Amino acid sequence: MKRKPYVVFIMSLILALIVSACDNAGNSDSSSKKGNDREIVVGLVSEPDSVDIHRTSSTGEANIPLYDTLLKLDNDGNIVPNLITDYELIGDGKEVIFNLKEDAVFHSGKPVNAEAIKLSFERLISSSPFSTNAGEVESIEVLSEYSFKIKWKDQFAPFFINATTPFLAPLDVSVLDAKGEGFEKNPSGSGPLKLVKINRGDSLVYEPYKDFWDGQEPGFDSVKFRFIPDEETRILEFKKGNVDVLLDVPYQYIEDLEKDSEVTIKRVQSDTLSYLGWNNKLPIFQDVKVRQAIALAIDRDSIIDNTLKGEAQAVFGPLPKTVFGYSEKIETMAREKYTRNTEAAKKLLSEAGWSETNKDGVVMKDGEEFSVDLWVDDDPANQRAAQVIQNQLMEIGLKITISVKESATIIEQTPKGAHEMLLWSFGWPDADVLNFLLFGKDKSKRLHYENEKIYSLLEKGAIEMDQEARLMLYEKAQEMLVEESPFVPLYVKENVTAIRNFDSFEIHPINNSIEWTSVKVSE
Amino acid sequence: MSSYLFKRFTTMIITIVGVSVLVFMIIHLIPGNPVSHILGDYATEESIKELEMRLGLDRPILVQYFSYMFHAIQGDLGTSFITGYTVVEEILNRIPITAQLALYSIIFGSIIGILIGVIAAVKKNTILDQLAMLLALVGISAPGFWIALFLILLFSYQLSIFPISGYSGFYSLILPSITLGLGTAGSIARMTRSSMLDVIKQDYIRTAKAKGAGLFRLVFMHSLQNAIIPVVTLIGMQFGYLMAGAVVTETVFALPGLGSLIVSAISTRDIPTVQGLLLFMAAMIIIVNFVVDLLYTKLDPRIQYE
């Protein structure tokens, strides 16, 4: 019997449909419906590339709770013991003895003892791209089961702050394969949440770690971190009740969500400082008067209101409030010096030789107009901020052309000095960040600024083990930075989180992470 | 037929090698490298060099390419710099969702497109024809993210018929398939109409009509079977479009498929993943088009490959 051609076609389609419909094996169920009443669903933008803290380039809510840190910051920003009971500086501070708590246990059931910490640090130092956070470690010595000593080649004061971050948190090396890898599939940390399921590209499912050393009864049964990249979809999932915790609420939706009586909005100031920077090696930025004029032309409140719906705090000094090294005195000084004053800015430009203007109102010097490219990433809020900055600088005659670049391009190209101006940000809880990110020989990153005096102060700050003396050094360095104005600090954004149905839910005011041990869902 | 198959296989291999060269060159030419991404703001010159050496990125580009292809031939597409997963693992993990999405979209697009195209051809120059072509135009020109949000708002948020996002089996792929399939439906409808109009002018159709063949028989038995060949070609070509469309659709519906994987791999400059995925997608498109070519002989016995 002759088969009709279209029958073949339709049969092929139906067969393919059946085959594919049967193929659900191995795929995760990431449906919007919640598994049980005490399951918490957290909606966030992107998946961490790995849960292995020695490998990942993205730490966030979805992988941090796996780890517990040696030290932690209290709500006032003081460094306090966490996995350790105490520590003791030996001699000039190149050696420190740490004594561990004896009741901390990894998720694998193995104790968090000195040997485990040593192995974890050795892996960090030998193979992690983030080993610089530990400083130049000469040796790690196990003194007893719960006591170990770290010896550095030179004093390394930022260690104590760095040890409050997950980058230096111990991981259980015993779960690794022969190559020292495989942690991303079989993770074992000692944090308040234990990873139970990895659905790549979709979600990470945790349960409260029952043997966590604080001994508190968990206020929930499980946490699912769902990765929902699209803004609108994420909001709709939250509004529909399929997501209980919405991280990084886009600013334009806050007002709408606040109208819902069941929703609570939590605001915590970020430790990431957005700034307007430039390549200080370029001749156009060599004159300090030009740099100061740019700082005087910026109206931070206008940027915050127009681009961030007011959800940010203006910052005038080089460090935001949440960072060790912040000084109220410096902030006040910078605010007084650089509160917007376009007349003063024009005067400074004129003194710097930028006195003529062309027909477009752009200032000129030796027949050349002041015209630079401003690099900004593809974040819409940053692009809007760039537009406001462009208008504000045009008011004093500086012509800015906005150039949108991918983040990966900016990260790679700016240390090479390929840029002129950039709108970027940095975030680290210690003032050493200034040395590391912005200045210093051989590691000048984005701003290509060189100043021996400031560099020397920052280097001293990195090895000064006395915290008060350290603060003094950073204050002095910041005072000079305010005067020199090699970049314009702009603002720190508010991290906005929307939650629903919780009796207790706290976010750490300094490091912005959820305090899982105190979270309790409503009955 | 065997010589045809040999020729086609040879062409396919050359094409895939060509694609691999192109992909390799492009990924190495675009600014931004994985080492900068991995190390982020905390990199030093030393750590950059050390990591480049560990990842093999310090070798000459030709050495890197041949080393990559040597392993790729053996089914090893490398390991992600960023996630630590092998690229094959990542593809196998995500391909079921993208394959289903592409398939359902093709099925949806084909059925709707052919139906609309047939109606438009049969009712040529009537209001029905104009309406059908307007629908086809909307399907082609409406942006995927807009359709997706519209469908989510209506069917998921307001009517609660489908889940808003995520993957939970066939049910959760209905809206994404419609989103992705609408563009395909539009193209197929226009092609079907045009192809059908050519066929129904022919003498044998007039003869069949004169012999008293009913409308259904006339359209589906006599006309469509000859008009469908260019439509099948178009369906094969749409596969590439669907792969591209999956990127947007999977992002809006938060589906863990290949589309969302490639977006994150590109943004993190995860070279092995991008290369592996592009190579895999190119191979899929080439194979699908090859299958479509073979399907011609089944659809039209007059076509023979020698």
Side-chain angles (χ1 to χ4, degrees), chain B residues 191 228-238 289 292-293 296:
Chain B
M191 178 60 83
I228 205 142
I229 299 283
V231 177
V232 171
T233 311
L234 182 70
I235 290 171
M237 286 161 65
Q238 286 288 311
N289 280 285
V292 166
D293 286 354
Y296 290 158

Side-chain angles (χ1 to χ4, degrees), chain B residues 70-123:
Chain B
F70 176 74
H71 289 101
I73 289 165
Q74 299 168 68
D76 175 11
L77 293 173
T79 302
S80 163
F81 292 158
I82 311 285
T83 66
Y85 285 82
T86 68
V87 177
V88 172
E89 253 179 311
E90 291 276 40
I91 290 175
L92 289 178
N93 194 25
R94 293 173 185 245
I95 187 67
I97 290 172
T98 305
Q100 285 181 77
L101 181 62
L103 197 66
Y104 300 151
S105 310
I106 283 276
I107 292 169
F108 172 80
S110 302
I111 293 172
I112 300 294
I114 291 173
L115 213 61
I116 290 177
V118 166
I119 291 169
V122 172
K123 301 287 178 189

